[in-house]
């Protein structure tokens, strides 16, 4: 056999041929689908978590108001909270409105994020939008009242975070309505997503706490209340979702498939952490609704 031919067809030649072959870039269409699937994964996870949260709100707070049994709110006393104040009609009413409003937001808000719901059922989208806007404004105002007027304790960092969150709710509510009036659907959609995220910041706060405790314990980090995480998460519960939304908007408009893929992975990781928190938060809420002792 010719040595020249033998050398040309040997392992080195094959290696050179493979290495010389240009790497195929990730198709933009594939990257776009990956981003869409990651958003669907996030949406389904939020929907399941928030609809159970709605069930808890109605069963625990809603029925307690109907049955005039608001004293049951103080089952939270073991966690350092006493929402019910005997003789404080205005304060108890504000807290009930705040809690039940959070349930309405948890149930109806996800419908506003569905483009097909807006296109196929425009009347429902509009009416549900009005209810949603009224409720989130009520949430912000009642939150201000509970923090700055009803609570007699000194203002803490968590109260400041709640107040900033309430201001963001009012600001995004205005921008959502303003862009809708101007028929700027693209901007309206973005502001509506931001409004949804900050309106559910207290839910993200609780889910994030359980995710931190469960994940930290699994990794052997011995997480505990009082860790720096809790101070940071007071603001992170609305800043991290907003930052993630901005990353999604950027990736959605980007023509770079690597950007889309990177944001998809980031969103999936954050969703998995959120699911861990949901799985920890759910049995805790079940213990709150039961007549037994509250347990973490």
């Amino acid at each position: 056999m010719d040595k020249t031919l033998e050398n040309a067809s040997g392992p080195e030649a094959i290696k050179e041929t493979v290495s010389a072959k240009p790497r195929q870039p990730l198709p933009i269409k594939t990257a776009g689908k990956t981003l869409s699937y990651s958003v669907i994964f996030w949406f389904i996870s939020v929907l399941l978590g928030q609809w159970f949260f709605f069930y808890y709100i109605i069963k625990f707070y809603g029925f307690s108001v109907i049955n005039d049994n608001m004293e049951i709110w103080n089952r939270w006393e073991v966690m350092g909270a006493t929402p019910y104040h005997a003789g404080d009609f205005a304060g108890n009413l504000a807290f009930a409105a705040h809690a039940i409003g959070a349930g309405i937001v948890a149930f109806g808000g996800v419908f506003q994020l569905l483009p097909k719901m807006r296109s196929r059922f425009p009347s429902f989208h509009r009416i549900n939008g009005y209810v949603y806007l009224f409720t989130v404004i009520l949430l912000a105002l009642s939150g201000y009242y509970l923090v700055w007027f009803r609570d007699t304790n000194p203002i803490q960092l968590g109260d400041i975070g709640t107040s900033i969150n309430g201001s963001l709710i009012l600001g995004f509510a205005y921008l959502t309505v303003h862009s809708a009036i101007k028929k700027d659907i693209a901007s309206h959609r973005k502001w509506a997503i931001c409004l949804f995220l900050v309106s559910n910041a207290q839910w993200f706060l609780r889910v994030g706490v359980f995710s931190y405790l469960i994940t930290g314990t699994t990794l052997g980090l011995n997480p505990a209340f009082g860790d720096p995480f809790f101070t940071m998460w007071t603001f992170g519960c609305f800043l991290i979702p907003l930052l993630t939304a901005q990353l999604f908007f950027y990736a959605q408009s980007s023509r770079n498939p690597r950007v889309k893929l990177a944001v998809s992975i980031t969103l999936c990781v954050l969703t998995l952490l959120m699911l861990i928190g949901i799985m920890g938060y759910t049995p805790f809420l079940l213990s709150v609704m039961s007549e037994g002792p509250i347990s973490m």
Side-chain angles (χ1 to χ4, degrees):
M1 182 182 293
D2 189 343
K3 290 185 177 181
T4 304
L5 180 59
E6 182 181 359
N7 293 336
S9 60
E12 293 298 326
I14 296 175
K15 183 177 180 181
E16 290 178 3
T17 302
V18 172
S19 61
K21 186 177 179 180
R23 181 177 297 178
Q24 295 295 327
L26 181 68
I28 186 71
K29 187 176 181 180
T30 302
K33 286 184 176 180
T34 303
L35 183 63
S36 298
Y37 291 147
S38 66
V39 171
I40 293 173
F41 177 41
W42 175 86
F43 178 82
I44 293 175
S45 301
V46 169
L47 185 146
L48 294 176
Q50 292 224 306
W51 278 8
F52 177 79
F53 184 62
F54 168 74
Y55 167 73
Y56 155 74
I57 290 292
I58 296 303
K59 189 175 188 303
F60 185 71
Y61 291 106
F63 278 75
S64 68
V65 173
I66 294 173
N67 298 325
D68 194 20
N69 185 31
M70 292 179 287
E71 295 89 347
I72 198 175
W73 299 351
N74 288 347
R75 278 178 54 76
W76 283 97
E77 188 173 4
V78 296
M79 304 297 294
T82 53
Y84 176 77
H85 296 179
D88 183 12
F89 176 79
N92 293 330
L93 180 63
F95 185 85
H98 191 78
I100 296 173
I104 295 173
V105 168
F107 180 78
V110 290
F111 289 117
Q112 295 303 104
L113 302 183
L114 294 172
K116 289 186 178 180
M117 185 67 70
R118 181 181 64 246
S119 59
R120 294 184 180 182
F121 306 100
S123 297
F124 173 81
H125 178 80
R126 184 170 57 255
I127 294 172
N128 188 56
Y130 290 146
V131 173
Y132 183 78
L133 283 168
F134 173 79
T135 306
V136 297
I137 292 173
L138 178 65
L139 275 179
L141 297 179
S142 60
Y144 286 141
Y145 173 79
L146 293 171
V147 168
W148 294 99
F149 297 97
R150 191 196 196 203
D151 192 356
T152 57
N153 296 321
I155 297 298
Q156 301 178 356
L157 199 59
D159 299 326
I160 296 175
T162 300
S163 300
I164 295 174
N165 183 36
S167 299
L168 288 174
I169 289 175
L170 296 177
F172 287 136
Y174 168 77
L175 292 170
T176 300
V177 173
H178 182 67
S179 56
I181 293 174
K182 293 178 61 178
K183 306 296 183 182
D184 186 353
I185 302 302
S187 296
H188 173 72
R189 173 177 167 272
K190 290 182 178 180
W191 293 127
I193 291 174
C194 291
L195 177 61
F196 173 84
L197 295 175
V198 296
S199 299
N200 289 286
Q202 294 305 305
W203 181 77
F204 286 118
L205 174 70
R206 289 157 174 77
V207 169
V209 165
F210 277 85
S211 180
Y212 171 75
L213 294 174
I214 295 172
T215 304
T217 301
T218 303
L219 296 176
L221 301 177
N222 299 319
F225 290 102
D227 290 349
F229 167 81
F230 292 92
T231 300
M232 295 185 294
W233 192 239
T234 298
F235 302 93
C237 64
F238 53 85
L239 293 179
I240 296 299
L242 285 177
L243 176 60
T244 305
Q246 295 307 311
L247 288 175
F248 167 69
F249 297 149
Y250 175 72
Q252 193 176 42
S253 61
S254 175
R255 299 298 300 172
N256 188 335
R258 293 184 179 180
V259 171
K260 292 181 181 294
L261 183 61
V263 173
S264 299
I265 294 173
T266 301
L267 189 56
C268 285
V269 170
L270 292 175
T271 303
L272 287 173
L273 291 173
M274 183 178 68
L275 278 174
I276 292 172
I278 291 173
M279 288 187 290
Y281 191 38
T282 298
F284 173 75
L285 291 182
L286 289 174
S287 70
V288 173
M289 288 186 287
S290 70
E291 296 181 359
I294 296 177
S295 59
M296 293 290 288

